[in-house]
Amino acid sequence: MVRKATRLILCAALLAAGAAAEDFLPMTPMDTDRVPVRLTVEGRGETARRAREQLEMDVSLSGLLREAGEDEEYAAAEVMVSRMAGAVSLAAEVRAGGELLLDRSYRGSSVYPLVHALTDDMVYVLTGERGIASTRIAYVCRSGRSYSLVVKSLDPREGQRVLSDSDVITTPAWGPDGNRIALTSYRSESADLYLYDLSAGRATQLLAGGGLYTSPAWSPDGSSIAFTRSRDSNSDIYLLDVAGGEARRLTARPSIETAADFSPNGQQMIFTSDRLGFPQLYTMDSAGGSAVRLTGVHRYMDSPAWSPAGDRIAYTARVGGDFHIFVMDADGSNVRQVTFEGSLNENPVWSPTGRHLAFSSDRGGERAVYVLELSGLEVIRLSGAGECYLPTWSPLPPLGDERHTERTVRR
Amino acid sequence: MRRIAFSIAAALALVLFTATTGCRPDDTRPDTDTTAVFDTDTLVSDTLGTGVWETDTVMTSTDTLQMHQDMLRDVFYGFDSSELSAAAMDSLMHDASYIMANRGFRVLLEGHCDERGTIEYNLALGERRAQAAYDYLVEYGVSPSRLQTVSYGKERPFAEGHTEAAWAKNRRVHLRVLPGI
């Protein structure tokens, strides 16, 4: 009888979370729709303190869970942190309404990936949705004439400089296979396309010669890359088969066409065009063809990003003399501003679950990369000291039985 | 050592070039009202530049390249614009005369933008700026074979800082001297 009641409460909570997911982009915070979890982290020393702090941050950034207040208890997570022979171990139990939903231990050399894995498991058992705690974000950092591609996890660990050069690295795009990042490099006095292989640690040239190649965007199946070719004062969008072959031209106008991004089913593209004399957003069939202008709300719009569910478009627009991030429905309606600080907010990219945006902003003085959780409009700074911009979000790690029955997490 | 290697490479390039074309390239090209169609890169027109000895081109050193670099003037643009102002045309006229009167180098026209625009659109806009300078130089008589364009958008600013003074310095086409003919 008690168990049955518990199930009912659980169902109600899941329904509430589901309803919140329908409209997770309000203009005012709606933290009350998150599932409250009481967090108890035990263990001694610095490692336990870090685990506690990171778990709080992961839960807060999830947008789906929140730390429970004093007098409320729906779900509870008890985590025991220990250190043995140089390895960190987390033993976690997650209960909701008295029922044990997760009993798992995580072991690895650093505490952070373990907390991320635990948070993502917790999000999954409590809401049925995927979490983003284990994902990573890559971006470009510049220091004078030195450029780097940096890969950063969502925690205080320093970002890893995976690629550095004395010439421009720009417009990185993380591929759907999770292992390759397409980018533009100026190392041969022109803008060429490269593929950086994360596991091999090597950048190989994909396309060079006959113009400038920038702004690569992966098709959702990872088979092709849309990009911008600039030459003779003109910029157009082309499509390249990653396996090889000739690039195919998708737009053919004297105006600037650039910054293409695919719809999640791969059948459409959104891009920037200044055919009216100023940059606006258009959609077209991925095979090319006629384009439709989405909205005339702003006079200067660029860097569109199609949400993973296909329902929304994030972009940069000029308001007054400043640039801010906006989100609209995929048909151009329901335009909402989501950044309000700084004067240069740029290049929004969606998290793979569509609940967050990463973007660059000068709100802290220099340009840095920030992550915005959309239901609470909570913003955290991701990149450390130095000028960093052009974020690109990794895909989710594969969800399989293996990942959720694996008792040891390595990194 | 590097200089010797470079001289050999330059000499080889010259031999190859002489073998394939039989004459050195000229910076001038026919007037635009000429009706016949010419290969503008190789034809000698009736407006002649200053002659130089072919051997001069072999001796290009990094010092010489730096000297050329110091002689060229960058071109500046207005906000969100790729139009050439009177001052910009003056600079380009000076540059064109210098490039045509001197050999042994090529020029990369780098389009740059200030930070008050988005990265991707600026990359395309910088190309328009570079092309505007290119068109002017070619119209003036510089051989297209000595010019190349690239856009850096706002990715490699000349001046750091977030003031109008810095922005004005970054809205430019930089003429970068490269080794070549």
Side-chain angles (χ1 to χ4, degrees):
Chain A
M1 189 60 205
V2 175
R3 280 192 81 98
K4 205 168 181 184
T6 310
R7 287 244 167 77
L8 276 174
I9 295 167
L10 182 60
C11 281
L14 287 177
L15 280 173
E22 293 274 299
D23 184 20
F24 58 83
L25 188 64
M27 291 306 290
T28 52
M30 288 176 67
D31 274 355
T32 45
D33 287 332
R34 301 177 181 211
V35 175
V37 188
R38 181 180 306 283
L39 303 173
T40 313
V41 179
E42 285 170 16
R44 281 181 303 179
E46 186 68 3
T47 310
R49 189 185 63 78
R50 281 189 192 153
R52 163 99 213 169
E53 279 178 11
Q54 191 58 44
L55 189 59
E56 284 171 4
M57 199 199 109
D58 281 5
V59 162
S60 166
L61 195 63
S62 73
L64 292 160
L65 309 178
R66 68 180 168 87
E67 204 174 348
E70 275 300 308
D71 52 349
E72 57 179 352
E73 177 149 348
Y74 163 66
E78 285 174 19
V79 185
M80 184 68 205
V81 183
S82 57
R83 242 201 130 86
M84 258 171 65
V88 183
S89 171
L90 301 185
E93 288 182 10
V94 178
R95 288 184 170 78
E99 193 167 3
L100 185 63
L101 297 177
L102 183 75
D103 176 10
R104 188 164 294 174
S105 57
Y106 306 82
R107 201 196 321 269
S109 55
S110 164
V111 71
Y112 295 112
L114 311 184
V115 174
H116 296 325
L118 164 62
T119 307
D120 286 342
D121 284 346
M122 219 157 68
V123 166
Y124 192 69
V125 297
L126 290 172
T127 71
E129 297 200 33
R130 301 290 308 273
I132 48 94
S134 300
T135 60
R136 291 176 293 170
I137 294 174
Y139 44 81
V140 175
C141 292
R142 181 179 78 93
S143 172
R145 289 285 172 93
S146 170
Y147 297 81
S148 303
L149 178 68
V150 174
V151 175
K152 181 86 169 70
S153 47
L154 303 174
D155 54 54
R157 283 179 296 170
E158 202 179 323
Q160 301 170 68
R161 271 164 213 281
V162 296
L163 195 60
S164 289
D165 203 0
S166 57
D167 224 319
V168 172
I169 294 172
T170 191
T171 56
W174 208 315
D177 70 357
N179 188 45
R180 286 181 298 177
I181 297 177
L183 53 90
T184 294
S185 158
Y186 280 70
R187 54 192 352 241
S188 344
E189 284 158 12
S190 187
D192 307 321
L193 283 186
Y194 282 74
L195 279 184
Y196 182 72
D197 185 309
L198 286 154
S199 57
R202 191 179 310 135
T204 48
Q205 201 175 70
L206 183 65
L207 195 60
L212 311 179
Y213 301 114
T214 59
S215 309
W218 292 84
S219 64
D221 64 3
S223 69
S224 48
I225 289 177
F227 62 93
T228 303
R229 181 197 200 196
S230 301
R231 133 181 248 204
D232 301 338
S233 192
N234 186 23
S235 298
D236 274 303
I237 294 162
Y238 286 69
L239 190 66
L240 181 71
D241 189 334
V242 180
E246 289 278 295
R248 201 155 52 82
R249 188 173 184 171
L250 297 184
T251 62
R253 300 180 75 98
S255 50
I256 288 172
E257 272 72 37
T258 187
D261 192 32
F262 284 88
S263 67
N265 65 9
Q267 285 168 8
Q268 280 182 290
M269 250 180 225
I270 183 155
F271 61 97
T272 303
S273 167
D274 73 347
R275 62 190 62 177
L276 294 177
F278 42 92
Q280 296 282 291
L281 302 185
Y282 294 78
T283 54
M284 69 173 173
D285 200 271
S286 293
S290 61
V292 181
R293 185 161 73 120
L294 267 187
T295 177
V297 170
H298 308 285
R299 199 174 156 82
Y300 189 127
M301 305 163 79
D302 192 17
S303 55
W306 214 311
S307 73
D311 55 345
R312 291 186 168 98
I313 311 275
Y315 60 94
T316 310
R318 190 161 70 195
V319 239
D322 297 340
F323 287 87
H324 281 291
I325 311 293
F326 290 79
V327 173
M328 64 184 172
D329 290 355
D331 62 0
S333 67
N334 208 7
V335 171
R336 281 170 286 186
Q337 185 169 348
V338 295
T339 64
F340 302 92
E341 288 177 56
S343 61
L344 189 60
N345 299 276
E346 262 195 271
N347 296 102
V349 287
W350 295 90
S351 67
T353 60
R355 294 187 162 272
H356 311 76
L357 291 173
F359 60 98
S360 73
S361 175
D362 65 348
R363 62 188 59 196
E366 63 193 350
R367 272 193 297 175
V369 173
Y370 292 80
V371 172
L372 165 69
E373 194 284 307
L374 287 166
S375 76
L377 293 184
E378 180 197 1
V379 180
I380 60 157
R381 177 170 170 157
L382 184 70
S383 63
E387 186 185 12
C388 300
Y389 47 93
L390 280 168
T392 175
W393 213 307
S394 78
L396 288 171
L399 173 68
D401 289 336
E402 200 185 328
R403 200 181 96 85
H404 282 271
T405 53
E406 185 71 68
R407 298 181 72 86
T408 303
V409 176
R410 292 182 202 283
R411 224 193 112 84
Chain B
M1 188 59 206
R2 280 182 70 174
R3 188 175 288 194
I4 294 169
F6 182 73
S7 298
I8 293 169
L12 265 175
L14 184 72
V15 168
L16 269 174
F17 189 80
T18 314
T20 49
T21 66
C23 70
R24 72 180 163 77
D26 198 279
D27 270 328
T28 54
R29 61 176 209 158
D31 292 330
T32 43
D33 55 8
T34 310
T35 46
V37 179
F38 295 103
D39 181 343
T40 52
D41 287 358
T42 51
L43 264 185
V44 180
S45 85
D46 50 1
T47 50
L48 296 172
T50 316
V52 289
W53 295 101
E54 284 190 356
T55 45
D56 287 352
T57 62
V58 185
M59 298 307 289
T60 319
S61 68
T62 45
D63 289 347
T64 319
L65 292 180
Q66 187 57 51
M67 184 193 76
H68 294 316
Q69 183 68 69
D70 294 342
M71 292 303 293
L72 294 176
R73 295 179 193 161
D74 286 358
V75 186
F76 295 88
Y77 295 79
F79 175 64
D80 207 9
S81 165
S82 54
E83 271 174 41
L84 298 174
S85 64
M89 288 188 211
D90 281 351
S91 297
L92 284 170
M93 226 182 293
H94 159 90
D95 291 334
S97 310
Y98 186 84
I99 296 166
M100 288 160 69
N102 295 277
R103 297 187 177 281
F105 66 96
R106 290 178 301 129
V107 174
L108 178 62
L109 302 165
E110 301 178 354
H112 293 271
C113 303
D114 72 31
E115 64 178 3
R116 292 170 306 159
T118 50
I119 288 174
E120 285 156 308
Y121 190 61
N122 269 352
L123 282 167
L125 264 188
E127 168 71 12
R128 278 189 186 160
R129 282 189 179 153
Q131 190 68 31
Y134 175 96
D135 289 345
Y136 189 93
L137 293 175
V138 169
E139 193 62 33
Y140 199 88
V142 177
S143 165
S145 66
R146 294 187 65 192
L147 301 175
Q148 219 177 304
T149 59
V150 70
S151 166
Y152 280 96
K154 63 173 178 178
E155 302 305 281
R156 213 175 74 175
F158 275 78
E160 304 286 346
H162 314 285
T163 60
E164 176 51 39
W167 295 331
K169 282 182 190 155
N170 291 331
R171 292 190 299 265
R172 77 164 80 195
V173 165
H174 172 58
L175 286 83
R176 183 162 141 210
V177 168
L178 303 175
I181 49 173

